[in-house]
Each structure stands twice: as structure tokens, then as C-alpha cells.
Amino acid sequence: LQREGSGAVDLLLACDVFIYLRSLEKVVTEGHRVLRPGGFFFFSTEAATVEEAPEGLVQRASGRYAHSRDYVEGLTDRRFQILDAETIDLRIEDDLPLPGDCYLLQRLP
């Protein structure tokens, strides 16, 4: 994202990617910068509960990160409007569905 100009893109898509990032602050900040006003940002996270991740994120035994909705909402506040947030089964892992959250955001001016 750092190579893109400000307001250069209409859509950002990151599915099953943020599980490899501890903090999402930089990518949300850069996403806001490169999206034009009104542009869309769609991404998924492994779902974490507040009990599991009191600070908003947790590294799981798999080495991947899970993020709580409160954490994501706090990062996007005043930069994006959350148009939709839905919990789905992202994938099957060890024969069990792995829940995650999918977000559709729209960049605010």
C-alpha cells in the first residue's frame, strides 16, 4: 500500500490475510490513505472474543492472529463506516469450522 498514491484505488480486498498480522493499525491507516473517499475495503479476520483477547487481538497456537470486533471497530472509527460485519466459517481446520468476521467498510471523507 505504501507504493500507492493517496486516493488511488476504489477497492481494497484482503481475505484470510490479516491472520498473519498482529496489529492492523498500519494497514487500516494506509488503506484509508490510498482509498478514494467513498471507496470500499473488504477484509476478513479470525474471530476473537473479548474474553479470549482482552486487548483486542490474540496469537493462537497455530501462530496466526485473531482480532475482536471491538478492536476492528476501534481502528476504523472516524475513518470508515462499517456497512456490514458478519461472522462466517472462514475455512475448515482440523475437521472443524473456523469462525471469522468479514467486514465491508466504506471510506469516509
Side-chain angles (χ1 to χ4, degrees):
L1 292 177
Q2 293 176 338
R3 296 179 186 170
E4 296 295 329
S6 296
V9 299
D10 296 319
L11 173 68
L12 291 174
L13 179 65
C15 297
D16 221 15
V17 173
F18 293 166
I19 59 175
Y20 301 108
L21 301 177
R22 182 182 190 283
S23 171
L24 302 182
E25 187 169 348
K26 189 171 184 177
V27 74
V28 169
T29 298
E30 281 296 295
H32 183 265
R33 184 186 65 77
V34 302
L35 275 170
R36 68 165 175 78
F40 297 98
F41 192 0
F42 181 86
F43 62 89
S44 64
T45 63
E46 283 191 13
T49 64
V50 174
E51 295 79 21
E52 177 186 23
E55 295 181 20
L57 56 98
V58 63
Q59 187 173 23
R60 297 207 164 128
S62 66
R64 295 189 303 257
Y65 292 94
H67 303 86
S68 71
R69 281 199 182 193
D70 287 347
Y71 174 78
V72 172
E73 289 171 5
L75 290 178
T76 59
D77 189 40
R78 295 184 302 275
R79 296 188 264 191
F80 292 93
Q81 177 183 359
I82 298 176
L83 300 177
D84 194 18
E86 185 174 335
T87 301
I88 65 164
D89 292 335
L90 292 177
R91 64 185 165 282
I92 302 298
E93 187 170 300
D94 297 326
D95 294 322
L96 297 171
L98 182 72
D101 293 319
C102 291
Y103 297 89
L104 176 59
L105 311 179
Q106 187 170 30
R107 185 192 186 279
L108 297 173

